[in-house]
Amino acid sequence: MGHDAVYVDWAGTDEPFDYALARRLRSPLMHTAAGRVLVAHMTAPERREWVAVTFGADEEGAVHALRTAARIRDDGLERGPSGPVMPDVRTVAVPVGAGDRVVAAVSIAHHLPGTDEVLDRYEGLLRTAVTEWERRGTS
């Protein structure tokens, strides 16, 4: 929503995660994996405007954001640290499309040992769910 990521819903398994999300229903886009996916899928003019507004004179931050966005578009997802609020949490986030536009992003986060293997499973689950959601939207 605007220049913020907005959590529509979440399900957590521990108190710190639930607390962080409940207190930060809006976060800067680059502070969440789903937000970074949304930045990546803005049109180029929208993304440049967003970078200009968000980073102003911080050229290093702007370049980093644009490189991150390019990597996400190339990979088709964001996978890695959740963001500064929960830096020890690893996440995978994928875009949700409607026609030829990305209209949302969905993510799953995990902070326990064996995270990389769990994120592999989560990635598959998210891609399957998103494919089904997108199919329903075109029916």
Side-chain angles (χ1 to χ4, degrees):
M1 182 173 287
H3 289 185
D4 292 329
V6 177
Y7 295 98
V8 177
D9 198 5
W10 71 89
T13 59
D14 61 54
E15 187 175 19
F17 187 80
D18 280 344
Y19 179 82
L21 291 181
R23 299 286 294 166
R24 297 186 54 95
L25 292 176
R26 294 177 77 108
S27 294
L29 289 172
M30 293 304 285
H31 286 194
T32 69
R36 291 187 296 274
V37 167
L38 294 173
V39 168
H41 293 284
M42 291 176 176
T43 65
E46 289 171 331
R47 194 169 36 256
R48 283 191 296 272
E49 174 65 21
W50 176 83
V51 164
V53 169
T54 301
F55 293 97
D58 178 6
E59 296 292 326
E60 186 176 322
V63 168
H64 176 72
L66 292 171
R67 285 186 176 150
T68 298
R71 178 188 47 78
I72 291 168
R73 284 191 308 278
D74 289 345
D75 293 348
L77 60 91
E78 170 66 316
R79 182 178 174 147
S82 175
V85 174
M86 295 180 287
D88 58 333
V89 172
R90 306 280 296 166
T91 189
V92 60
V94 298
V96 178
D100 62 349
R101 293 185 54 227
V102 169
V103 295
V106 62
S107 65
I108 298 179
H110 192 73
H111 63 85
L112 301 174
T115 297
D116 286 337
E117 294 79 23
V118 171
L119 288 181
D120 288 342
R121 287 198 320 267
Y122 289 169
E123 181 182 332
L125 289 170
L126 284 176
R127 289 191 183 279
T128 299
V130 167
T131 298
E132 179 60 28
W133 294 336
E134 290 172 344
R135 188 173 321 157
R136 286 184 196 167
T138 60
S139 303

